[in-house]
Amino acid sequence: MNICVFIKRVPDTESRIRIQQNAVAEDGLNFVISPYDEYAVEEALRIKEARGGTVRVVSVGRDEAAAVLRKALAMGADEALLVKDEAPETYDGLRTARIIARAVERRLPGADLLLFGKQAVGTDNSQVPAMTAELLGLPQATVVTKLAIEDGTATALREIEGGTEKVVLTLPAVVSAQKGLNEPRYETLKGIMAAKKKPVPAVTLEELGFGPGEPAAAVEVTGLDVPAARQAGKVLQGDPAETARELARLLRDEAKVI
Amino acid sequence: MIAAYLEIRDGKIKKSSLETLAEARRRAADLGDTAAAVLAGASVAGLAGTAAAAGAAKVYVLEDPALADYSSQAYAVALAVFAAETKPAALFFPATAMGKDLAPRVAARLGVALAADCTRIEVRDGALEYTRPIYAGKALLTVRLKSSPQLASLRPNVFPAGPPAPGTGEIVKMAAAVPDGAVKGKVAEILKEESAELDVTEADVVVSGGRGLKGPEAFALLRDLAAIFPRAAVGASRSAVDSGWIGHQHQVGQTGKTVSPQLYLAVGISGAIQHLAGMSSSKVIVAVNKDPEAPIFKVADYGILGDLFEVVPKLKEELQKALKD
């Protein structure tokens, strides 16, 4: 199995988000591999351990994205590729998918399985995996909690409202990982040392055949705000039966939600 | 024309899809345009009347044997055919499991951008503007789409469903034209959860538990409480999920689901920033916690300071009474 995993560098989930000039202020943020992408890396490593093959990890972004590629190498990935994209966040998933699809066609030959996180924490777009699948003409299973590979097919369980869908795909295919798929391993000291020695080659958008300004974003940001903070309300205390009665009354007569 | 894709499950149009159609109607009215509905499947014409009664001026019915089982590939072909032939100004999807799987695929096929998981859509200076939470709701992004048609998916439970429409929509059948051999993946089976619980994203009331529950057993208390409401679901904080007390599909927060119910009851949840991000758009938040310093009280409209094991059973009794009155 020849597996490619696409990972993104994002602010960790404990971050407080501040806005400056219609963009998220990056200073003071701690950046990590997007948590769902970590499940994708882990799944790739498990498939490789069971069936052999190679795991290549790919990130689209600025030079700083090399840090998440090193983390994936330390977990056990064989090779890394940084697709250098200097553009600030465009929030346009199709732009990213076009870059990834081109990178797959030109620089990542022979992939049987393209693994992604179900969404990048932050932009929360949940669209790059399915878009990449469509651009490459591949089948997809998104938001996957269980994946089984057998000769030329992938069987995936994906979360739907109130249940699970079993999706059968002919390889090559695109799969996006949901929490629950596995428990990602910690990198070992040996892995970290080995990862330091591995190269992280980079390719530019120009080298992938894109002209200046390509691929263009079709999303225009007109506003970016932090939502108004909620106000603390009434706190009741005392006898459980009395506070419960008063709360029920408030929900019915004041908040009118029941 | 603004078209709304209507998702069918168990032979019915989902509530979130009717919300999507209602929003298409409202925004089309702002633009002096009309709203249409799109149904896709092997045999779905029987639902066209429901879509018309929900206010679609036209109901497009895309039928093909290849659409019998859901396949993002096949459905994307059908919807791209629909978009190419009818040239809608915008195409809205419900941001459900299916809509989130399908909409980006259709967008890529059409070569257009997608505003995903929107919570507000407005017309400003004659253009549609889409607002969507990012960082699980820590920030709100508003965008315009410069490609056409404009594709957006709409978060369930946020947009109101519309009033019934008096008129009768015209029904237009279209061939979906899914080529043989084009489909390399599809749904083989749907496995329902035994209890067939409502998903937290679809519920009007979410009762969530956290570390204060001290173990998996106490979730039974929350299920009892949830059971008194007609459309309720049980949620959980990340620490409860990571402790193995309840499945991750119940997790609310930044690495779980973002919910916007009418009523969110946070029981034994301290209110870590990741959790608050996922539920702060709820209409009314109630917290039950024994720690007066718990951050959850800073966002809760109502709180009970006390022992959840004593409070929750009483709360169930009292809410049941209040519901009956």
Side-chain angles (χ1 to χ4, degrees):
Chain A
M1 284 289 285
N2 187 334
I3 306 169
C4 293
V5 192
F6 299 87
I7 64 179
K8 187 175 179 183
R9 173 182 175 266
V10 302
D12 81 25
T13 57
E14 283 176 34
S15 304
R16 288 193 184 278
I17 299 300
R18 289 176 302 110
I19 309 296
Q20 272 174 351
Q21 294 165 346
N22 259 5
V24 172
E26 291 194 4
D27 54 301
L29 294 181
N30 179 37
F31 285 87
V32 295
I33 177 173
S34 183
Y36 299 108
D37 299 350
E38 223 174 319
Y39 301 117
V41 172
E42 177 63 33
E43 195 66 14
L45 296 173
R46 290 186 188 197
I47 295 168
K48 179 195 155 184
E49 283 156 10
R51 310 181 60 89
T54 57
V55 174
R56 289 178 284 185
V57 287
V58 183
S59 190
V60 178
R62 299 189 308 245
D63 288 334
E64 294 91 324
V68 296
L69 291 169
R70 293 238 176 256
K71 151 118 186 160
L73 288 171
M75 286 172 73
D78 299 292
E79 292 173 31
L81 177 67
L82 172 65
V83 180
K84 281 181 79 157
D85 177 16
E86 304 293 336
E89 183 61 64
T90 62
Y91 300 99
D92 185 345
L94 186 61
R95 180 179 179 278
T96 310
R98 281 178 166 150
I99 294 169
I100 289 174
R102 185 71 67 81
V104 170
E105 287 167 340
R106 301 218 175 166
R107 298 299 289 263
L108 302 161
D112 301 300
L113 184 61
L114 308 182
L115 277 167
F116 296 77
K118 74 160 176 126
Q119 71 189 68
V121 157
T123 49
D124 294 352
N125 255 334
S126 310
Q127 50 182 259
V128 173
M131 286 175 162
T132 305
E134 177 61 31
L135 294 176
L136 294 170
L138 302 178
Q140 76 191 39
T142 57
V143 197
V144 166
T145 54
K146 194 163 190 230
L147 181 63
I149 306 287
E150 265 172 66
D151 310 321
T153 62
T155 304
L157 296 185
R158 65 181 299 264
E159 259 182 22
I160 60 169
E161 293 81 8
T164 307
E165 260 176 4
K166 186 201 270 185
V167 183
V168 179
L169 310 169
T170 304
L171 297 177
V174 167
V175 170
S176 80
Q178 162 69 316
K179 183 172 182 173
L181 180 62
N182 53 47
E183 202 51 58
R185 68 195 65 190
Y186 291 103
E187 54 271 47
T188 60
L189 186 61
K190 193 174 153 222
I192 293 167
M193 298 312 287
K196 279 191 179 157
K197 289 186 194 137
K198 285 185 187 166
V200 176
V203 61
T204 63
L205 296 184
E206 194 180 13
E207 285 165 338
L208 289 177
F210 289 109
E214 284 180 359
V219 174
E220 180 195 354
V221 174
T222 58
L224 182 56
D225 307 288
V226 172
R230 293 185 80 107
Q231 299 297 311
K234 286 178 196 162
V235 177
L236 314 168
Q237 55 180 313
D239 174 64
E242 274 170 35
T243 54
R245 191 173 313 130
E246 176 62 4
L247 179 62
R249 189 193 69 76
L250 289 166
L251 291 177
R252 189 186 57 190
D253 299 343
E254 191 176 274
K256 296 184 169 45
V257 286
I258 61 168
Chain B
M1 174 175 90
I2 299 182
Y5 169 74
L6 305 184
E7 174 182 354
I8 300 163
R9 292 272 187 198
D10 301 323
K12 285 192 210 116
I13 297 170
K14 290 195 70 164
K15 176 173 171 272
S16 48
S17 287
L18 295 174
E19 295 164 7
T20 303
L21 173 57
E23 184 64 11
R25 275 174 78 187
R26 287 186 287 266
R27 298 295 77 89
D30 290 349
L31 293 165
D33 205 340
T34 57
V38 189
L39 293 165
S43 172
V44 293
L47 292 167
T50 311
K58 280 191 177 173
V59 182
Y60 291 90
V61 177
L62 313 174
E63 287 187 329
D64 191 292
L67 304 175
D69 299 310
Y70 173 65
S71 157
S72 60
Q73 268 184 315
Y75 276 56
V77 170
L79 283 158
V81 167
F82 160 77
E85 290 194 15
T86 66
K87 302 198 166 38
L91 175 55
F92 292 174
F93 294 80
T96 53
M98 186 193 283
K100 283 173 153 177
D101 192 59
L102 177 59
R105 188 121 203 166
V106 176
R109 196 165 180 89
L110 297 172
V112 300
L114 164 68
D117 208 15
C118 299
T119 53
R120 193 172 72 222
I121 303 176
E122 285 176 320
V123 173
R124 283 175 69 182
D125 306 325
L128 287 161
E129 289 202 346
Y130 304 88
T131 297
R132 45 181 305 264
I134 58 172
Y135 295 89
K138 290 177 190 169
L140 293 171
L141 176 72
T142 302
V143 299
R144 289 187 183 193
L145 301 177
K146 295 188 283 185
S147 44
S148 179
Q150 299 184 23
L151 260 59
S153 63
L154 282 60
R155 181 175 292 184
N157 247 355
V158 172
F159 296 90
T168 48
E170 181 193 349
I171 293 164
V172 185
K173 283 206 175 195
M174 287 174 68
V178 182
D180 287 343
V183 178
K184 300 196 181 77
K186 65 175 188 175
V187 171
E189 195 180 347
I190 294 178
L191 313 150
K192 288 267 162 91
E193 274 185 31
E194 280 172 33
S195 47
E197 284 176 10
L198 199 62
D199 194 77
V200 287
T201 58
E202 297 184 307
D204 295 337
V205 177
V206 175
V207 184
S208 283
R211 210 195 310 255
L213 267 60
K214 296 182 185 155
E217 300 78 15
F219 273 98
L221 281 178
L222 304 194
R223 287 205 176 86
D224 281 353
L225 178 54
I228 69 171
F229 299 100
R231 289 180 58 84
V234 172
S237 71
R238 182 169 118 183
S239 61
V241 169
D242 288 352
S243 302
W245 298 348
I246 189 165
H248 64 87
Q249 66 273 27
H250 297 273
Q251 186 182 326
V252 173
Q254 200 165 358
T255 46
K257 291 170 178 166
T258 305
V259 299
S260 319
Q262 292 291 303
L263 176 59
Y264 188 89
L265 285 142
V267 179
I269 291 178
S270 63
I273 184 170
Q274 298 98 326
H275 189 80
L276 299 183
M279 46 65 92
S280 287
S281 59
S282 305
K283 185 163 177 236
V284 172
I285 296 171
V286 170
V288 177
N289 209 293
K290 64 180 181 187
D291 174 11
E293 302 298 320
I296 192 79
F297 285 123
K298 294 204 176 82
V299 303
D301 301 285
Y302 302 102
I304 293 184
L305 183 61
D307 180 353
L308 70 93
F309 293 93
E310 290 175 14
V311 170
V312 171
K314 296 287 176 204
L315 197 52
K316 184 192 152 194
E317 274 174 39
E318 295 297 337
L319 288 171
Q320 214 157 13
K321 276 188 221 162
L323 284 168
K324 275 186 191 148
D325 282 355

